[in-house]
Amino acid sequence: MSNPQDTIFAKIIRREIPAEIVYEDELAIAFKDVNPQAPVHLLVIPKQPIAMLSDAESEDHRLMGHLLLTVKRVAEQAGLTNGYRVVINTGEDGGQTVYHLHLHILGGRSMQWPPG
Ligand code: DGP
């Protein structure tokens, strides 16, 4: 598993590579996905380097709640008044490719179920 300190998202947090950042606070940052799968595709990530959801600990409960409330805030800010989908790909079977925890916000079109 790659070190979350060294992921592309850690570099975005440190402003070492550019991203279209739409929200930031002391715990989290949100930016546009570089490979959008919907008209609106944003990523919300913690600044703390947690590799994946299954690595989160019980002492991270405040941060985890904050991330969900940040999703709500960012989705509202993006004008997703008709709903949206939140996805956390976790590990190999979950299709995770970047090993820094991130919540996808997908919106601006009607989503299908089940996902592939
Ligand atoms: P996942 O498969 O859940 O690990 O999703 C990783 C997402 O990260 C994928 O939708 C593409 C996005 N992504 C990868 N590299 C970059 C990047 O350098 N900048 C931005 N903005 N998004 C990226």
Side-chain angles (χ1 to χ4, degrees):
M1 205 62 61
S2 62
N3 177 355
Q5 302 279 4
D6 293 333
T7 66
I8 201 92
F9 292 172
K11 292 185 170 76
I12 287 172
I13 293 168
R14 298 197 299 263
R15 305 295 203 276
E16 291 171 10
I17 62 165
E20 285 190 69
I21 294 168
V22 298
Y23 175 80
E24 182 170 16
D25 62 29
E26 75 280 11
L27 295 176
I29 189 165
F31 52 90
K32 294 185 182 179
D33 194 294
V34 80
N35 184 22
Q37 301 302 311
V40 176
H41 189 171
L42 301 165
L43 300 172
V44 173
I45 70 172
K47 290 185 172 174
Q48 182 181 322
I50 298 172
M52 56 206 290
L53 182 61
S54 53
D55 285 346
E57 308 279 0
S58 43
E59 61 261 32
D60 298 321
H61 72 276
R62 179 173 172 264
L63 174 62
M64 303 307 285
H66 181 78
L67 292 173
L68 277 181
L69 291 171
T70 301
V71 164
K72 175 193 153 172
R73 175 194 279 241
V74 168
E76 280 173 7
Q77 185 182 293
L80 298 177
T81 54
N82 205 39
Y84 49 89
R85 181 166 292 172
V86 183
V87 174
I88 305 177
N89 294 327
T90 305
E92 196 177 338
D93 279 1
Q96 186 172 3
T97 59
V98 179
Y99 281 84
H100 183 122
L101 175 64
H102 50 283
L103 292 80
H104 295 260
I105 303 173
L106 296 148
R109 67 169 169 83
S110 187
M111 298 295 151
Q112 305 300 309
W113 192 265

mmCIF file of all heavy atoms in Angstrom, residues 8-9 12 17 31-34 41 43 89 95-98 102 104, ligand 1:
data_model
loop_
_atom_site.group_PDB
_atom_site.id
_atom_site.type_symbol
_atom_site.label_atom_id
_atom_site.label_comp_id
_atom_site.label_asym_id
_atom_site.label_seq_id
_atom_site.Cartn_x
_atom_site.Cartn_y
_atom_site.Cartn_z
ATOM 1 N N ILE A 8 -0.745 11.762 -4.600
ATOM 2 C CA ILE A 8 -1.043 12.963 -5.376
ATOM 3 C C ILE A 8 -1.937 13.914 -4.556
ATOM 4 O O ILE A 8 -1.814 15.139 -4.667
ATOM 5 C CB ILE A 8 -1.711 12.535 -6.707
ATOM 6 C CG1 ILE A 8 -1.596 13.609 -7.759
ATOM 7 C CG2 ILE A 8 -3.124 12.086 -6.532
ATOM 8 C CD1 ILE A 8 -0.404 13.451 -8.618
ATOM 9 N N PHE A 9 -2.791 13.360 -3.707
ATOM 10 C CA PHE A 9 -3.680 14.219 -2.911
ATOM 11 C C PHE A 9 -2.896 14.945 -1.814
ATOM 12 O O PHE A 9 -3.195 16.104 -1.507
ATOM 13 C CB PHE A 9 -4.830 13.413 -2.304
ATOM 14 C CG PHE A 9 -5.816 12.880 -3.318
ATOM 15 C CD1 PHE A 9 -6.813 12.001 -2.939
ATOM 16 C CD2 PHE A 9 -5.755 13.262 -4.657
ATOM 17 C CE1 PHE A 9 -7.736 11.512 -3.872
ATOM 18 C CE2 PHE A 9 -6.657 12.771 -5.602
ATOM 19 C CZ PHE A 9 -7.647 11.895 -5.201
ATOM 20 N N ILE A 12 -1.538 17.837 -3.451
ATOM 21 C CA ILE A 12 -2.551 18.886 -3.647
ATOM 22 C C ILE A 12 -2.736 19.677 -2.352
ATOM 23 O O ILE A 12 -2.776 20.910 -2.372
ATOM 24 C CB ILE A 12 -3.880 18.266 -4.138
ATOM 25 C CG1 ILE A 12 -3.725 17.828 -5.609
ATOM 26 C CG2 ILE A 12 -5.034 19.251 -3.982
ATOM 27 C CD1 ILE A 12 -4.891 17.036 -6.169
ATOM 28 N N ILE A 17 1.098 20.447 -6.409
ATOM 29 C CA ILE A 17 0.525 20.335 -7.747
ATOM 30 C C ILE A 17 -0.816 21.064 -7.739
ATOM 31 O O ILE A 17 -1.464 21.150 -6.694
ATOM 32 C CB ILE A 17 0.353 18.868 -8.221
ATOM 33 C CG1 ILE A 17 -0.609 18.120 -7.312
ATOM 34 C CG2 ILE A 17 1.687 18.153 -8.322
ATOM 35 C CD1 ILE A 17 -1.086 16.831 -7.933
ATOM 36 N N PHE A 31 -11.914 19.476 -3.904
ATOM 37 C CA PHE A 31 -11.457 19.956 -5.217
ATOM 38 C C PHE A 31 -12.128 19.143 -6.311
ATOM 39 O O PHE A 31 -12.702 18.069 -6.063
ATOM 40 C CB PHE A 31 -9.923 19.884 -5.322
ATOM 41 C CG PHE A 31 -9.330 18.557 -4.977
ATOM 42 C CD1 PHE A 31 -9.135 17.575 -5.939
ATOM 43 C CD2 PHE A 31 -8.972 18.258 -3.663
ATOM 44 C CE1 PHE A 31 -8.589 16.344 -5.614
ATOM 45 C CE2 PHE A 31 -8.419 17.027 -3.325
ATOM 46 C CZ PHE A 31 -8.233 16.065 -4.308
ATOM 47 N N LYS A 32 -12.049 19.656 -7.548
ATOM 48 C CA LYS A 32 -12.665 18.977 -8.688
ATOM 49 C C LYS A 32 -11.848 17.754 -9.082
ATOM 50 O O LYS A 32 -10.606 17.830 -9.142
ATOM 51 C CB LYS A 32 -12.776 19.941 -9.879
ATOM 52 C CG LYS A 32 -13.742 21.079 -9.612
ATOM 53 C CD LYS A 32 -13.926 21.945 -10.856
ATOM 54 C CE LYS A 32 -14.858 23.102 -10.528
ATOM 55 N NZ LYS A 32 -15.072 24.006 -11.685
ATOM 56 N N ASP A 33 -12.558 16.672 -9.369
ATOM 57 C CA ASP A 33 -11.893 15.461 -9.856
ATOM 58 C C ASP A 33 -11.345 15.734 -11.262
ATOM 59 O O ASP A 33 -12.028 16.315 -12.102
ATOM 60 C CB ASP A 33 -12.876 14.286 -9.884
ATOM 61 C CG ASP A 33 -12.176 12.946 -10.057
ATOM 62 O OD1 ASP A 33 -11.593 12.723 -11.143
ATOM 63 O OD2 ASP A 33 -12.208 12.128 -9.124
ATOM 64 N N VAL A 34 -10.121 15.306 -11.504
ATOM 65 C CA VAL A 34 -9.466 15.564 -12.789
ATOM 66 C C VAL A 34 -10.083 14.730 -13.914
ATOM 67 O O VAL A 34 -9.923 15.064 -15.093
ATOM 68 C CB VAL A 34 -7.932 15.310 -12.664
ATOM 69 C CG1 VAL A 34 -7.591 13.830 -12.749
ATOM 70 C CG2 VAL A 34 -7.151 16.122 -13.664
ATOM 71 N N HIS A 41 -18.268 16.572 -10.303
ATOM 72 C CA HIS A 41 -17.523 15.473 -9.665
ATOM 73 C C HIS A 41 -16.433 16.110 -8.803
ATOM 74 O O HIS A 41 -15.433 16.618 -9.303
ATOM 75 C CB HIS A 41 -16.916 14.546 -10.714
ATOM 76 C CG HIS A 41 -16.316 13.292 -10.126
ATOM 77 N ND1 HIS A 41 -15.885 12.240 -10.898
ATOM 78 C CD2 HIS A 41 -16.068 12.922 -8.833
ATOM 79 C CE1 HIS A 41 -15.406 11.280 -10.115
ATOM 80 N NE2 HIS A 41 -15.492 11.681 -8.853
ATOM 81 N N LEU A 43 -14.121 15.900 -5.007
ATOM 82 C CA LEU A 43 -13.525 15.013 -4.012
ATOM 83 C C LEU A 43 -13.347 15.780 -2.711
ATOM 84 O O LEU A 43 -12.851 16.920 -2.732
ATOM 85 C CB LEU A 43 -12.155 14.513 -4.493
ATOM 86 C CG LEU A 43 -12.148 13.729 -5.808
ATOM 87 C CD1 LEU A 43 -10.703 13.480 -6.255
ATOM 88 C CD2 LEU A 43 -12.900 12.414 -5.678
ATOM 89 N N ASN A 89 -14.597 4.680 -2.489
ATOM 90 C CA ASN A 89 -13.961 3.453 -2.964
ATOM 91 C C ASN A 89 -12.899 3.045 -1.949
ATOM 92 O O ASN A 89 -12.071 3.874 -1.549
ATOM 93 C CB ASN A 89 -13.331 3.688 -4.340
ATOM 94 C CG ASN A 89 -14.372 3.978 -5.412
ATOM 95 O OD1 ASN A 89 -15.480 3.459 -5.363
ATOM 96 N ND2 ASN A 89 -14.016 4.816 -6.372
ATOM 97 N N GLY A 95 -12.118 -0.606 -5.894
ATOM 98 C CA GLY A 95 -11.688 0.202 -7.034
ATOM 99 C C GLY A 95 -10.908 1.440 -6.654
ATOM 100 O O GLY A 95 -10.786 2.375 -7.445
ATOM 101 N N GLN A 96 -10.358 1.461 -5.432
ATOM 102 C CA GLN A 96 -9.582 2.634 -5.001
ATOM 103 C C GLN A 96 -8.264 2.691 -5.758
ATOM 104 O O GLN A 96 -7.576 1.674 -5.907
ATOM 105 C CB GLN A 96 -9.325 2.554 -3.494
ATOM 106 C CG GLN A 96 -8.647 3.799 -2.940
ATOM 107 C CD GLN A 96 -8.573 3.800 -1.416
ATOM 108 O OE1 GLN A 96 -8.981 2.840 -0.753
ATOM 109 N NE2 GLN A 96 -8.039 4.874 -0.862
ATOM 110 N N THR A 97 -7.930 3.871 -6.251
ATOM 111 C CA THR A 97 -6.663 4.045 -6.977
ATOM 112 C C THR A 97 -5.714 5.004 -6.275
ATOM 113 O O THR A 97 -4.507 4.904 -6.456
ATOM 114 C CB THR A 97 -6.907 4.545 -8.412
ATOM 115 O OG1 THR A 97 -7.605 5.795 -8.364
ATOM 116 C CG2 THR A 97 -7.716 3.533 -9.224
ATOM 117 N N VAL A 98 -6.249 5.919 -5.488
ATOM 118 C CA VAL A 98 -5.398 6.862 -4.747
ATOM 119 C C VAL A 98 -5.570 6.559 -3.260
ATOM 120 O O VAL A 98 -6.692 6.650 -2.728
ATOM 121 C CB VAL A 98 -5.768 8.329 -5.045
ATOM 122 C CG1 VAL A 98 -4.886 9.275 -4.230
ATOM 123 C CG2 VAL A 98 -5.638 8.632 -6.540
ATOM 124 N N HIS A 102 -10.791 9.515 0.353
ATOM 125 C CA HIS A 102 -11.522 10.580 -0.348
ATOM 126 C C HIS A 102 -12.965 10.180 -0.554
ATOM 127 O O HIS A 102 -13.277 9.014 -0.770
ATOM 128 C CB HIS A 102 -10.859 10.929 -1.693
ATOM 129 C CG HIS A 102 -10.568 9.751 -2.564
ATOM 130 N ND1 HIS A 102 -9.499 8.908 -2.340
ATOM 131 C CD2 HIS A 102 -11.212 9.262 -3.647
ATOM 132 C CE1 HIS A 102 -9.499 7.958 -3.264
ATOM 133 N NE2 HIS A 102 -10.529 8.147 -4.064
ATOM 134 N N HIS A 104 -16.075 10.835 -2.983
ATOM 135 C CA HIS A 104 -16.515 11.377 -4.261
ATOM 136 C C HIS A 104 -17.912 11.976 -4.095
ATOM 137 O O HIS A 104 -18.793 11.337 -3.501
ATOM 138 C CB HIS A 104 -16.636 10.268 -5.313
ATOM 139 C CG HIS A 104 -15.365 9.598 -5.710
ATOM 140 N ND1 HIS A 104 -14.689 9.915 -6.868
ATOM 141 C CD2 HIS A 104 -14.647 8.614 -5.128
ATOM 142 C CE1 HIS A 104 -13.622 9.136 -6.989
ATOM 143 N NE2 HIS A 104 -13.571 8.336 -5.935
HETATM 144 P P1 DGP B 1 -10.515 6.339 -6.548
HETATM 145 O O1 DGP B 1 -10.640 5.439 -7.726
HETATM 146 O O2 DGP B 1 -11.736 6.298 -5.667
HETATM 147 O O3 DGP B 1 -9.224 6.150 -5.815
HETATM 148 O O4 DGP B 1 -10.538 7.804 -7.171
HETATM 149 C C1 DGP B 1 -9.430 8.610 -7.361
HETATM 150 C C2 DGP B 1 -9.907 9.821 -8.109
HETATM 151 O O5 DGP B 1 -8.891 10.797 -8.072
HETATM 152 C C3 DGP B 1 -10.212 9.564 -9.583
HETATM 153 O O6 DGP B 1 -11.593 9.837 -9.823
HETATM 154 C C4 DGP B 1 -9.352 10.561 -10.334
HETATM 155 C C5 DGP B 1 -8.893 11.523 -9.268
HETATM 156 N N1 DGP B 1 -7.543 12.024 -9.443
HETATM 157 C C6 DGP B 1 -6.430 11.279 -9.617
HETATM 158 N N2 DGP B 1 -5.349 12.079 -9.742
HETATM 159 C C7 DGP B 1 -5.799 13.357 -9.627
HETATM 160 C C8 DGP B 1 -5.169 14.627 -9.659
HETATM 161 O O7 DGP B 1 -3.955 14.753 -9.822
HETATM 162 N N3 DGP B 1 -5.949 15.714 -9.498
HETATM 163 C C9 DGP B 1 -7.312 15.613 -9.312
HETATM 164 N N4 DGP B 1 -7.976 16.747 -9.182
HETATM 165 N N5 DGP B 1 -7.940 14.429 -9.271
HETATM 166 C C10 DGP B 1 -7.199 13.319 -9.432
#
